[in-house]
Amino acid sequence: MNVLLCSINALNKLYDISAVEVGQHFYWQIGGFQVHAQVLITSWVVIAILLVSAVIAARNPQTVPTDSQNFFEYVLEFIRYVSKTQIGEEYGPWVPFIGTMFLFIFVSNWSGALLPWKIIQLPHGELAAPTNDINTTVALALLTSIAYFYAGLSKKGLGYFGKYIQPTPILLPINILEDFTKPLSLSFRLFGNILADELVVVVLVSLVPLVVPIPVMFLGLFTSGIQALIFATLAAAYIGESMEGHH
């Protein structure tokens, strides 16, 4: 009987850790603005991880790469490959932007899946991946939209806006609407997939034994990486499209 009670208590604790609190936030007042504190905390952790990784990667480069240097060089080559295939020969200046998007989203998604955020108790809400907040995904999408317009304007000047009346001025409203829907699509695609993955795990934990949700959690790690790749690839494709000047 005691073993059974202990098992039930252990499962209840695991269920509490896997629970998702919807609509609750821990707020900070910064100046005249109210911000989601849990998103700032987890974003700072992700940024710290990326900064420490960058310092380690650049600290002592060797002519004959070590295992860690090989890993960082592989990541850089992968980001350069994604940028080049989507943007073209002028991809060089955009590698830092595409890389930042990919790495921030990738580390954010994996931190939400691997780090036990929910053990840390907050007065309201809970700690989770930064990309689990719609405000973060909207901000990333808006940065991509700004980069998209900057790329086109820096290459073609005001002539860039001529694309809105091509091939005929009748398509002007549709072309403008397309540019507004791009960041909206990026934001909701990323946010929706991350939230859906967490909800699936919560439902499975509540309905079936823990041994079934565990493989789903590992699958979530894979899909989280895919979401980061999709976001970075689409961002690079939009930038390349604006520089080419056609749809």
Side-chain angles (χ1 to χ4, degrees), residues 63-81:
T63 305
V64 179
T66 60
D67 291 339
S68 60
Q69 185 175 336
N70 272 326
F71 172 75
F72 289 119
E73 288 183 358
Y74 173 77
V75 172
L76 176 59
E77 286 300 319
F78 177 75
I79 293 170
R80 291 180 63 188
Y81 173 78

Side-chain angles (χ1 to χ4, degrees), residues 21-40:
E21 296 185 35
V22 179
Q24 299 185 24
H25 298 286
F26 178 42
Y27 293 104
W28 281 346
Q29 287 292 138
I30 300 179
F33 300 96
Q34 193 176 57
V35 298
H36 293 177
Q38 72 270 25
V39 178
L40 287 180

Side-chain angles (χ1 to χ4, degrees), residues 66 130 174 226:
T66 60
I174 296 177
I226 293 298

Side-chain angles (χ1 to χ4, degrees), residues 21 41 115 245:
E21 296 185 35
I41 294 171
L115 298 182

